[in-house]
Amino acid sequence: MTSVRRLVDAVAARTLRAHGFSGTMPVDVGALAYGLGIDAEEVEMAESGRLHPGPHRAKVYLNRREPLERRRFTLAHEASHWLLRGPLPADELARRVRGGRVSEEYVCDKLAGALLMPRAAVRERLGPRTRTLDAVRDLAREAIVSPAAALVRLRDVLDWRSTLVQWVLEGGRWTFAEEAGLLPGQQGMIRTLETTRAQLTSLAAVPGRTVQPLHVGYGTGEAWLLADVEVRAGRALALIMLPGAWDDQLPRMRAA
């Protein structure tokens, strides 16, 4: 049976081609949405976005206070709902959603990423590169998306097994802030230990980037996981490679 990921990429590629997009980044998501029959408007609102479908066209309201990267992804996400449930549903992918075989929100997140970061463009741009924060940021900058969205797409296209973890320094203590790029079953697996905090404090003494193993809680135990870590101005951001993901990366990353 065809995987949801392959179906998502096929729908995205077909949609982009049908509306005159070459598959390069950045994608003009406003023009794409309009071509799909969606009128977008930025307004004051509490949520990120809202779709109001009509019989032939739809209206999407976007939160004007959110960053451009977030608004672009939200528009692509709401356009994906229209693709799946509008007048021209996306074939097998739509049937799986309508049949309750897969979550519509999950599919729309994946389809939004595929529309903004076409598979061929991601593979051409970043295929052989070492898994680093720079690679994530390069894709995010080129596609005009958040680093979290870029990392999720790299997991889908290039099979990265990594997560982005952020800590903030509050009252002299490093506190876990957020993580991105994990599957639902993996969320919450990485925990902050006192040794993790000690490492971050040591790295903060010389602000910048470094590649080294971080000692973290992982699942029910502890682990040393290779990480590309940046510490600046009371914040620490780490691209952490999950177990089994970094054996072929270690020599190159140490040499970087």
Side-chain angles (χ1 to χ4, degrees), residues 171-210:
R173 181 179 177 84
W174 289 101
T175 302
F176 182 91
E178 60 182 342
E179 63 183 353
L182 291 176
L183 298 173
Q186 298 172 317
Q187 292 172 3
M189 291 190 68
I190 293 179
R191 294 172 286 105
T192 307
L193 306 175
E194 289 305 318
T195 48
T196 315
R197 294 187 174 95
Q199 285 184 280
L200 295 176
T201 297
S202 177
L203 293 172
V206 185
R209 291 255 316 276
T210 186

Side-chain angles (χ1 to χ4, degrees), residues 147-177:
L151 177 59
V152 170
R153 190 62 178 147
L154 287 166
R155 287 176 61 97
D156 289 345
V157 174
L158 300 179
D159 296 319
W160 282 30
R161 295 190 67 241
S162 308
T163 179
L164 278 173
V165 178
Q166 183 170 278
W167 294 268
V168 294
L169 188 62
E170 296 179 339
R173 181 179 177 84
W174 289 101
T175 302
F176 182 91

